[in-house]
Amino acid sequence: MGNCIICGTPVDGEICESHEEDAVFEFRGTSASQLTPGRYYRGTVDGYADFGVFVDIGDHVTGLLHRSELDQRLESLDWEPGDDVFVQVLDVRDNGNVDLGWSIRQREREFRGKLIETGDDEYRPEEFEDDADESDTETTSETATSEDSAAESDELTDDRAATAGELQAAADETEPESETDAVDEQSPAADTAGSVASSGSVATESAAASTPATDAEPDDGSEPALKRTTIESIENQVGNVVHLEGEITGVRQTSGPTVFELRDETATVECAAFEEAGVRAYPDVELDDVVALEGEVEHHHGDLQVETESLDILEGDERDTVVDRLENALEREARPADVELLADHDAVAAVESNIADAATAIRRAVMEARPIVVRHGATADGYVAGAAIERAVLPLIREKHTREDAEYHYFERRPLDGRVYDMDAATNDVTSMLEARERHGEQLPLVVLVDAGSTVESTDGYELLSLYDAEALVIDDSRADDEVTDAVGVDVAPSLAGADVSDVTSTALATNVAAHVNDDVRDDLEHLPAVSYWENTPEAYLDLATEAGYDETGVSERREAVALEAYYQSYKDKRELVIDLLFGDGDESGRPRDGDLAAHVSEQFRDKLETELETARENLTVEGVNGVTVSVLDTDAFTHRYNFPTTILLLDALHRSERDRADSPYVTLGVGDDELHVRATAPVNVRDLGDSIAEAVPNGGVSVVGGQDGHVEFLPGERDAVREAALEALGETLA
């Protein structure tokens, strides 16, 4: 009978059942059957496969940590063959295969004890090593012949003795004092308002803090206070204890430590605090608290992390000093110093200040560790515009966050079915953000609407976001509604500034925003505006594409390829595929090399589109109304509803191919079972058209979705009446 190494309870062995998961085991057996499922073991990375990581448990057993057990993407796991890691044995199968589970605890100090497990029994390290030392002494006396071997043996013995002493001390503590209690007994962090007088002094302070600097030593014999260090400077201080001040931007509880995300004026870092396995450390510390933290800088899975030793919530003047420092640094760094548009373009110039405001909001979100969710239309313009924002934001996230997988946590691109941010989309976003806050302690996101969301139909969605204090901004080339200005934080909509939007795309706007979010990627973005135009591309954007190495064919192939891929599984971001299509290398002339992805996909696009166009042309009904030529297509009867292209893309292409044959004003009217879409050679206000149809068909359930550039919806039973009312209204409007 002995005592549990964790709690001291008398047990028949070395550890009680309730604390098995608090100890880590080193396996010295020879067979997988000797492992104990549920226990945590030290292992060594053996190698990678597509489905997971092979880990050696001891010298004779290898297990598989399947990718489904990881809390991050396999490709972002920073383990190299030979690295020591900690895993849980989930199951030992009859055939000897070992299923392993992820352990959030990846340092021995995060476990509350260590045992050595052999095939027959388990031992405390000091007991096992005493036996080993006796055997080693006999062997050494017979075989040792060099002073080097003797020195290495002495060094190893000293290390083992130190480890054994530490573990024995831990085992003797039956009621260890919690970190929270220890923190409560300390005085609040000293006011460091004078430590950084201005942004110009940050570098000096950081340099001074490269080794833990101290203020004047106190007279009372207590430890001198550490000077404040900035997060961006701790990369060179691994192994040192540092003093940080900032805002808590994330809190998540793992099966091991509590992980706090701390932001100061320079960057963000994760700080692990361990009370006991799965128990919340510093329970009074919450999101948005301003704190002073001291801890040791370490590497954790390749990421910088601070092992928290003390954490104090700052109040009063101390808090105000830190808040002012953060806010001043944020505003100074987030706002672009100058606005330099990609090209001369009147519609874009009309919203120059809005572009700066949008870039500032996005940069602030990155610096404040708020996730950014980009919602864009599932069209070529929407995808290219969303990709432009993504191209700018991801490097900024990697720069400002120490986690290697930060981009997967702080940026997401979610396509929309249409150009309205409706309650369905908003509800999904709110549900996701609340789950992220509950499970991972994340802040509420910044929602960026691109190529969508600028009409009154989206205001209900924005209102739902605002109820949770989630911010939104919109970048859209549509004819927008004034109500949106009050519903979002920033709008980049040239129509609201009185500009002509007939020659602008959402990509032209979003690319200019992205260039001011991250000037380092400006050159990568210059060809994107030209990619977004189906016709009448402004000469300035063609010139930019040419200078970037993309000729007219290369530009059109990328547009067509993105349009095709936007259709398939349009609810996914297809990040890697879109990157390859838009930013893949071509030859010196900008033409794709043989086998180039964009050229291959664009060929499929043209084949599929031409097949559908031939069918549509054969089934057009042409009517003349007050001198206006109207080509009507029954979009339910004469299109393949679930095949490419979409109704909108087909009608756009059909209108472009047919309009030049008419001498009079020309309209392409697509009428489905419950939707009506219109394309015309002269501007048509779809909202006015909807009002005229509703007046003529009062029981038709007529409504307009998407504002002046949207479409009309109606009840299927009134389809014929709606069709005739639309023809009459178009004749009166365009004659």
Side-chain angles (χ1 to χ4, degrees):
M1 179 73 69
N3 295 327
C4 171
I5 66 168
I6 305 297
C7 62
T9 303
V11 290
D12 186 12
E14 301 297 334
I15 191 167
C16 65
E17 183 176 348
S18 63
H19 284 108
E20 277 207 356
E21 291 191 358
D22 292 331
V24 63
F25 290 82
E26 187 172 320
F27 184 63
R28 301 287 182 90
T30 59
S31 169
S33 61
Q34 297 169 336
L35 293 167
T36 305
R39 286 181 173 178
Y40 289 87
Y41 291 85
R42 178 196 295 274
T44 304
V45 176
D46 182 62
Y48 280 81
D50 290 341
F51 43 81
V53 187
F54 290 104
V55 178
D56 293 335
I57 308 298
D59 295 331
H60 305 283
V61 176
T62 298
L64 172 65
L65 177 61
H66 194 272
R67 64 187 307 154
S68 62
E69 294 293 330
L70 299 175
D71 69 348
Q72 58 188 293
R73 297 192 180 195
L74 180 63
E75 54 268 27
S76 68
L77 193 62
D78 189 29
W79 286 355
E80 298 291 338
D83 284 354
D84 285 341
V85 296
F86 296 88
V87 292
Q88 185 180 33
V89 171
L90 300 178
D91 187 29
V92 179
R93 304 191 186 190
D94 294 340
N95 62 2
N97 289 346
V98 180
D99 296 333
L100 302 178
W102 171 255
S103 170
I104 193 66
R105 293 171 286 183
Q106 288 298 322
R107 290 185 293 273
E108 188 174 300
R109 62 188 295 180
E110 294 175 0
F111 294 89
R112 299 184 63 191
K114 172 185 174 182
L115 290 170
I116 294 174
E117 183 179 72
T118 66
D120 303 317
D121 207 345
E122 57 201 39
Y123 301 88
R124 302 185 188 211
E126 61 271 23
E127 296 171 348
F128 189 85
E129 287 162 3
D130 285 344
D131 293 341
D133 286 344
E134 291 178 8
S135 175
D136 288 346
T137 300
E138 295 174 3
T139 303
T140 301
S141 65
E142 297 172 0
T143 62
T145 60
S146 71
E147 293 181 1
D148 289 342
S149 297
E152 290 174 3
S153 177
D154 291 343
E155 195 172 75
L156 181 60
T157 301
D158 290 342
D159 289 342
R160 286 175 172 171
T163 302
E166 291 172 2
L167 288 166
Q168 185 61 52
D172 292 341
E173 291 183 8
T174 58
E175 295 183 0
E177 182 182 15
S178 70
E179 288 189 56
T180 304
D181 293 338
V183 169
D184 289 341
E185 293 175 4
Q186 297 176 0
S187 61
D191 186 356
T192 59
S195 63
V196 182
S198 67
S199 61
S201 64
V202 172
T204 302
E205 179 189 340
S206 298
S210 60
T211 56
T214 61
D215 295 316
E217 295 193 10
D219 297 331
D220 59 3
S222 62
E223 289 293 327
L226 289 170
K227 287 185 177 179
R228 185 177 72 88
T229 303
T230 59
I231 293 173
E232 72 174 2
S233 71
I234 67 173
E235 186 174 1
N236 298 321
Q237 300 187 52
V238 175
N240 291 335
V241 176
V242 297
H243 175 92
L244 302 172
E245 293 177 1
E247 179 186 13
I248 297 295
T249 58
V251 182
R252 73 177 190 275
Q253 182 61 53
T254 72
S255 59
T258 305
V259 180
F260 297 96
E261 191 170 71
L262 181 70
R263 173 184 72 88
D264 72 2
E265 70 272 25
T266 64
T268 301
V269 68
E270 289 194 336
C271 305
F274 191 78
E275 177 74 23
E276 60 179 273
V279 175
R280 174 74 144 83
Y282 303 105
D284 293 336
V285 177
E286 300 292 348
L287 277 175
D288 302 325
D289 279 345
V290 176
V291 302
L293 180 147
E294 291 187 2
E296 182 180 345
V297 182
E298 298 181 345
H299 276 118
H300 182 67
H301 297 321
D303 299 334
L304 281 177
Q305 188 178 80
V306 177
E307 182 75 16
T308 305
E309 296 181 359
S310 68
L311 181 58
D312 295 314
I313 299 174
L314 300 182
E315 304 286 356
D317 291 343
E318 292 178 328
R319 182 184 190 281
D320 292 343
T321 297
V322 176
V323 169
D324 288 345
R325 182 193 304 139
L326 293 178
E327 181 59 30
N328 291 337
L330 265 177
E331 185 61 25
R332 183 172 57 250
E333 187 175 356
R335 181 161 293 279
D338 299 298
V339 177
E340 183 180 350
L341 302 180
L342 292 173
D344 290 334
H345 191 174
D346 290 343
V348 178
V351 288
E352 182 176 301
S353 63
N354 305 66
I355 286 171
D357 291 342
T360 301
I362 292 171
R363 287 178 60 84
R364 280 190 67 110
V366 173
M367 296 168 192
E368 292 172 338
R370 282 189 291 142
I372 295 172
V373 178
V374 173
R375 287 294 221 157
H376 61 79
T379 62
D381 190 18
Y383 265 90
V384 179
I389 301 294
E390 178 180 82
R391 190 74 167 183
V393 171
L394 292 186
L396 197 62
I397 290 174
R398 290 190 287 266
E399 175 188 334
K400 292 297 181 183
H401 296 271
T402 59
R403 291 180 62 174
E404 194 167 276
D405 61 346
E407 64 188 72
Y408 298 104
H409 292 271
Y410 295 110
F411 186 89
E412 187 169 2
R413 187 160 52 75
R414 303 175 190 163
L416 286 168
D417 287 337
R419 299 189 68 173
V420 172
Y421 187 62
D422 57 19
M423 284 296 291
D424 184 40
T427 299
N428 287 337
D429 288 347
V430 167
T431 301
S432 296
M433 75 185 189
L434 292 179
E435 288 177 350
R437 185 172 67 177
E438 180 67 25
R439 295 175 60 187
H440 307 298
E442 290 184 0
Q443 295 195 92
L444 299 178
L446 169 66
V447 181
V448 181
L449 271 294
V450 182
D451 191 42
S454 66
T455 61
V456 69
E457 293 87 359
S458 297
T459 55
D460 286 345
Y462 295 136
E463 183 177 352
L464 181 59
L465 290 179
S466 69
L467 292 175
Y468 290 93
D469 294 325
E471 187 181 352
L473 67 85
V474 62
I475 305 168
D476 195 9
D477 65 327
S478 295
R479 288 178 286 180
D481 293 326
D482 293 336
E483 291 86 346
V484 170
T485 300
D486 295 329
V488 299
V490 181
D491 64 82
V492 183
S495 67
L496 294 177
D500 178 10
V501 295
S502 62
D503 71 337
V504 69
T505 63
S506 292
T507 297
L509 298 168
T511 304
N512 275 282
V513 171
H516 292 88
V517 169
N518 189 347
D519 190 64
D520 290 342
V521 302
R522 177 179 285 259
D523 291 346
D524 295 348
L525 307 173
E526 290 182 336
H527 68 293
L528 296 185
V531 172
S532 64
Y533 284 86
W534 289 100
E535 60 180 349
N536 301 325
T537 308
E539 195 68 29
Y541 293 140
L542 289 174
D543 291 342
L544 279 178
T546 300
E547 292 169 6
Y550 297 87
D551 65 8
E552 188 173 348
T553 300
V555 166
S556 64
E557 285 174 342
R558 280 160 176 78
R559 175 173 56 251
E560 292 167 354
V562 171
L564 180 64
E565 295 303 337
Y567 172 79
Y568 292 106
Q569 294 183 321
S570 60
Y571 54 88
K572 295 186 177 181
D573 66 6
K574 296 181 280 294
R575 176 179 293 179
E576 292 79 8
L577 179 57
V578 170
I579 289 172
D580 285 345
L581 288 173
L582 293 178
F583 305 104
D585 293 333
D587 62 22
E588 293 180 357
S589 68
R591 291 280 293 116
R593 295 189 178 96
D594 291 341
D596 178 83
L597 178 64
H600 175 71
V601 178
S602 68
E603 184 177 352
Q604 296 180 11
F605 167 90
R606 290 190 293 272
D607 289 344
K608 292 176 181 294
L609 179 61
E610 190 56 41
T611 298
E612 291 299 310
L613 282 173
E614 289 178 4
T615 301
R617 291 188 188 106
E618 292 173 359
N619 293 283
L620 280 176
T621 300
V622 180
E623 301 191 23
V625 185
N626 291 343
V628 178
T629 301
V630 183
S631 293
V632 183
L633 177 67
D634 186 330
T635 55
D636 280 316
F638 300 112
T639 63
H640 295 95
R641 179 178 294 184
Y642 301 110
N643 288 345
F644 180 84
T646 63
T647 297
I648 291 174
L649 196 153
L650 175 63
L651 289 173
D652 287 343
L654 182 63
H655 183 70
R656 286 195 298 268
S657 69
E658 300 297 310
R659 68 187 174 196
D660 294 336
R661 302 179 186 180
D663 296 329
S664 58
Y666 183 79
V667 176
T668 302
L669 190 65
V671 183
D673 283 345
D674 59 1
E675 289 186 354
L676 181 148
H677 298 264
V678 60
R679 303 290 183 268
T681 53
V684 173
N685 186 323
V686 177
R687 189 168 282 144
D688 291 342
L689 176 64
D691 290 342
S692 297
I693 296 172
E695 184 177 352
V697 190
N699 298 319
V702 176
S703 62
V704 174
V705 178
Q708 299 179 53
D709 299 316
H711 66 276
V712 178
E713 294 185 350
F714 53 86
L715 296 176
E718 297 290 347
R719 181 177 185 274
D720 291 340
V722 166
R723 178 183 183 277
E724 295 306 314
L727 288 171
E728 182 177 349
L730 288 168
E732 293 176 355
T733 302
L734 300 177

